Amino acid sequence: QVQLVESGGGSVQAGGSLRLSCAKSGRTYTNYMGWFRQPPGKEREGVAMIYTSGGATYYADSVKGRFTIAQEDAENAYLQMDDLKPEDTAMYYCAAGTFSTEETALYVFRLGGHGFDYWGQGTQVTVSS
């Protein structure tokens, strides 16, 4: 089994920064880790994703140039969020999964992550104007 634990959420003013961490435990192999968010009253959406077996990264258009996803090591990933905006306010979730192709992973990512096998409990990010 895989367990994911997020940390690093909080409240910040617009223009500020936060770093979210995701700690993965368990021996089950996965090759993608992603960050997703769900704003109040809205559907879950993909924010950033990393191919943990090679390092390729993917971002939603709304966060390109402001957010960075990277691996701390083989089992942990983080999301560095800079220049935060009020519209970034949401519950943020870390997820891990295994996909046979990049195309499949991207398709699932763009659908809000339905298809990722493992999820963390979420961490709240609130950005005030």
Side-chain angles (χ1 to χ4, degrees):
Q1 268 292 9
V2 171
Q3 286 189 323
L4 301 173
V5 178
E6 303 103 334
S7 61
S11 297
V12 65
Q13 289 192 323
S17 298
L18 284 173
R19 177 166 158 155
L20 306 183
S21 294
C22 179
K24 173 176 172 280
S25 61
R27 296 186 175 184
T28 302
Y29 170 79
T30 58
N31 59 0
Y32 283 89
M33 290 184 75
W35 284 95
F36 299 84
R37 66 187 181 189
Q38 188 163 19
K42 295 185 178 181
E43 295 290 319
R44 189 173 65 204
E45 60 182 4
V47 176
M49 182 174 68
I50 185 166
Y51 176 52
T52 55
S53 298
T57 56
Y58 313 86
Y59 297 93
D61 289 342
S62 59
V63 306
K64 279 181 183 176
R66 301 189 297 122
F67 290 13
T68 302
I69 187 171
Q71 290 178 261
E72 294 176 328
D73 53 44
E75 302 297 330
N76 300 285
Y78 67 87
L79 181 70
Q80 177 66 40
M81 304 186 295
D82 297 317
D83 190 23
L84 282 159
K85 303 177 180 181
E87 51 264 41
D88 295 318
T89 295
M91 184 69 80
Y92 282 70
Y93 298 90
C94 175
T98 304
F99 302 98
S100 57
T101 68
E102 178 186 44
E103 290 75 15
T104 302
L106 276 172
Y107 178 76
V108 170
F109 173 74
R110 291 166 181 156
L111 286 182
H114 301 282
F116 273 75
D117 297 312
Y118 307 103
W119 291 83
Q121 79 287 354
T123 185
Q124 178 67 37
V125 172
T126 302
V127 184
S128 58
S129 57

